[in-house]
Amino acid sequence: MKSAERIVISINPEHVENILNGRKKYEYRTKAAKKDVKKIIIYETSPIKKIVAEAEIVEVLELPPEELWDQTKDKSGITKNFFDQYFEGREIAYAYKLGKVTKYKEVKNLVDFGIKAAPQSFVYVY
């Protein structure tokens, strides 16, 4: 069985912008990929609805929300309020620490990666 090196994640335009300009170095998630993934393929949600970039994953953090915030807040690209609402009621929070981000010269469609619909959480691509 092939190992998935990449996942496609849906991200809102404001967060994509902050990832591309370097203000957001962590992508927060309520679930993390179980497989060892090396890159995130960034699908920018409405109104763009295209795959616009990819980012290397430096590490995956798995911590109680408050500890995760303490470790990542300086490069979170989001407010504490947004963070707290996102992880409300969760005992564990995840963050992908992003390395090199590459913006595509030409945006791509989901179908280019064999995907029919925008992922709710994430989808592996091979």
Side-chain angles (χ1 to χ4, degrees):
M1 186 170 141
K2 287 199 286 189
S3 83
E5 297 253 329
R6 306 176 299 168
I7 52 175
V8 175
I9 291 183
S10 298
I11 303 177
N12 292 331
E14 68 183 284
H15 301 308
V16 172
E17 183 180 329
N18 283 330
I19 288 169
L20 294 175
N21 68 27
R23 280 197 289 267
K24 188 174 194 327
K25 292 286 188 188
Y26 294 94
E27 177 55 29
Y28 299 100
R29 293 284 144 170
T30 56
K31 292 184 214 167
K34 294 199 179 352
K35 297 179 184 176
D36 182 29
V37 290
K38 306 283 185 236
K39 287 189 177 176
I40 290 174
I41 308 294
I42 299 171
Y43 172 79
E44 189 168 345
T45 60
S46 188
I48 305 300
K49 296 184 178 177
K50 298 280 183 187
I51 292 176
V52 298
E54 64 182 53
E56 291 176 353
I57 299 170
V58 176
E59 69 177 314
V60 181
L61 302 172
E62 178 181 343
L63 295 164
E66 282 306 311
E67 287 181 45
L68 185 64
W69 179 255
D70 287 344
Q71 284 191 29
T72 62
K73 63 186 172 194
D74 293 340
K75 289 288 186 179
S76 68
I78 60 173
T79 65
K80 176 72 161 81
N81 189 39
F82 184 93
F83 180 92
D84 287 344
Q85 286 180 342
Y86 187 68
F87 289 114
E88 186 176 3
R90 302 242 175 212
E91 290 181 22
I92 295 293
Y94 300 91
Y96 292 103
K97 183 176 183 182
L98 306 178
K100 182 180 178 210
V101 178
T102 304
K103 183 176 180 178
Y104 294 155
K105 286 182 175 60
E106 292 185 28
V107 296
K108 302 176 194 261
N109 295 304
L110 287 169
V111 72
D112 297 336
F113 289 84
I115 302 168
K116 292 186 170 100
Q120 291 300 308
S121 177
F122 65 86
V123 65
Y124 294 104
V125 289
Y126 298 90

